[in-house]
């Protein structure tokens, strides 16, 4: 297993992992729901790492830095536009990938709590943390979390919130 920087080619496999983990009840459409949700998380991401084994993506951690200079407004707009495109395609296919999602609500609540407790300065965030079902229990999550926490600490995070 290796940990490497997230690239654009990781979108499809990560969409499948997110869909498999959080939207399997949508059966054949889980990847669409995963793609929609992944766009939301990527729009908030300043840095991402991927775990890969035998050339296959098996997990990822997406991070948000507390430093303003790490923000990329172009990247934010790109993922918002991608999410809009996915929603339009889903609409044509007759389903809504933007259903109320418990995971996103919990994340919003956690961010709000962190801001109340610590202020917005020096709070780094784990935006998304996923490991494919087949790779769970093999140390993938531990390796990703170590890489992510190290990156956040090197970018002035004193507190890490998920």
């Amino acid at each position: 297993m290796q940990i490497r920087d997230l690239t654009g080619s990781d979108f499809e496999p990560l969409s499948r992992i997110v869909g498999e983990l959080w939207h399997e009840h949508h059966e054949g459409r889980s990847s669409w729901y995963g793609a929609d949700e992944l766009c939301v998380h990527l729009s908030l991401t300043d840095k991402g790492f991927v775990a890969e084994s035998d050339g296959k993506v098996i997990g990822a951690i997406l991070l948000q830095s507390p430093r303003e200079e790490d923000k990329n407004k172009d990247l934010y707009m790109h993922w918002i536009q991608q999410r809009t495109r996915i929603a339009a395609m889903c609409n044509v296919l007759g389903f809504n990938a933007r259903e109320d999602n418990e995971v996103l609500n919990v994340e919003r609540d956690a961010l709000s709590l962190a801001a109340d407790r610590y202020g917005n300065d020096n709070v780094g965030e784990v935006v998304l943390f996923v490991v494919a079902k087949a790779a769970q229990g093999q140390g993938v999550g531990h390796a990703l979390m170590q890489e992510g926490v190290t990156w956040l600490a090197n970018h002035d995070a004193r507190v890490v919130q998920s």
Side-chain angles (χ1 to χ4, degrees):
M1 176 193 57
Q2 74 173 44
I3 306 293
R4 61 170 175 74
D5 287 348
L6 173 78
T7 68
S9 65
D10 298 320
F11 182 79
E12 298 266 344
L14 286 178
S15 294
R16 284 192 294 277
I17 292 171
V18 171
E20 171 189 89
L21 293 173
W22 295 340
H23 298 287
E24 67 182 6
H25 59 283
H26 291 292
E27 297 171 9
R29 297 179 176 160
S30 64
S31 185
W32 283 91
Y33 284 87
D36 181 67
E37 192 160 337
L38 185 56
C39 285
V40 173
H41 288 85
L42 286 167
S43 72
L44 303 171
T45 298
D46 299 319
K47 180 68 174 180
F49 294 102
V50 169
E52 189 176 67
S53 179
D54 298 323
K56 184 177 177 184
V57 174
I58 57 174
I61 187 167
L62 306 181
L63 308 162
Q64 188 175 70
S65 171
R67 295 188 334 188
E68 195 59 37
E69 59 266 26
D70 291 327
K71 308 295 178 213
N72 185 335
K73 290 182 172 72
D74 292 336
L75 199 57
Y76 171 80
M77 287 308 300
H78 169 76
W79 290 112
I80 293 299
Q81 289 168 354
Q82 292 303 315
R83 185 171 194 233
T84 301
R85 184 181 63 83
I86 289 168
M89 291 187 329
C90 289
N91 188 44
V92 167
L93 295 171
F95 65 97
N96 181 5
R98 293 188 181 185
E99 66 185 8
D100 189 22
N101 187 310
E102 190 63 30
V103 173
L104 293 178
N105 292 335
V106 169
E107 288 178 3
R108 264 192 299 271
D109 292 347
L111 284 174
S112 178
L113 178 64
D116 291 346
R117 189 174 293 168
Y118 305 109
N120 288 323
D121 295 339
N122 302 106
V123 177
E125 181 193 350
V126 176
V127 176
L128 177 74
F129 182 68
V130 293
V131 176
K133 285 182 182 180
Q136 291 178 3
Q138 300 174 19
V140 175
H142 180 75
L144 282 167
M145 188 59 72
Q146 278 187 315
E147 191 76 28
V149 168
T150 299
W151 185 86
L152 286 170
N154 290 335
H155 288 82
D156 301 332
R158 291 189 196 150
V159 176
V160 176
Q161 184 68 40
S162 63

